[in-house]
Amino acid sequence: MQHPAVDSLEEGLDVAASFAMKNRRAARYLYHSANRDLFEQHLWRICEYVVDAYISTAFADSSIEKADKGILIRYYKWVCFGAVMDMPRGGVKDDMQAIYYRMGQLKEGMLEEMINRSVRENAD
């Protein structure tokens, strides 16, 4: 599957958060409605797409095992989903963009290390 370039996971989170912030009333309504499951399913697919696009483009030359790539996509999808779902609950009142970029600074190199570890362990 071909994906457009995604420079960072924070960029993807920022896009999702910006959309939710611009449509705050609608997002809050859907979050508290009987159709919340549809909202969550859609958000889940968006998060998976963003994470898969980032890993597929940023680490295209890496020989990571398919199973490990799936695990990493799942893990970062959980992180992405949780971060965005925290907004309609009112859990985040600060500037979301600043939080996402600071999160990126704090975790810098983590994904690369996980991929490198997978490649090293599977090379043996």
Side-chain angles (χ1 to χ4, degrees):
M1 175 184 304
Q2 290 293 333
H3 299 288
V6 175
D7 294 330
S8 70
L9 292 176
E10 293 74 33
E11 176 186 305
L13 282 170
D14 188 39
V15 169
S18 293
F19 178 79
M21 293 302 276
K22 287 177 189 169
N23 300 286
R24 186 180 296 198
R25 254 179 101 188
R28 200 169 269 145
Y29 173 79
L30 285 170
Y31 179 81
H32 293 291
S33 78
N35 293 322
R36 179 177 171 177
D37 61 326
L38 297 174
F39 173 71
E40 288 181 357
Q41 288 172 21
H42 185 67
L43 178 60
W44 194 248
R45 286 191 302 271
I46 290 170
C47 290
E48 182 169 13
Y49 176 82
V50 167
V51 172
D52 188 14
Y54 173 67
I55 290 175
S56 294
T57 57
F59 301 99
D61 296 334
S62 183
S63 57
I64 186 170
E65 291 287 320
K66 186 176 182 175
D68 285 350
K69 180 180 177 185
I71 290 168
L72 292 174
I73 289 170
R74 178 174 277 184
Y75 172 76
Y76 279 98
K77 176 176 61 173
W78 293 338
V79 171
C80 178
F81 182 82
V84 176
M85 283 300 290
D86 202 27
M87 282 189 329
R89 280 195 301 263
V92 178
K93 298 186 181 2
D94 299 323
D95 178 24
M96 292 302 297
Q97 187 177 40
I99 291 170
Y100 294 149
Y101 284 98
R102 180 62 181 145
M103 180 175 55
Q105 290 172 332
L106 292 171
K107 68 166 196 55
E108 187 173 343
M110 286 176 50
L111 180 57
E112 292 83 353
E113 177 55 32
M114 287 188 262
I115 289 173
N116 289 335
R117 183 172 296 139
S118 172
V119 170
R120 279 192 313 267
E121 289 175 2
N122 288 310
D124 294 339

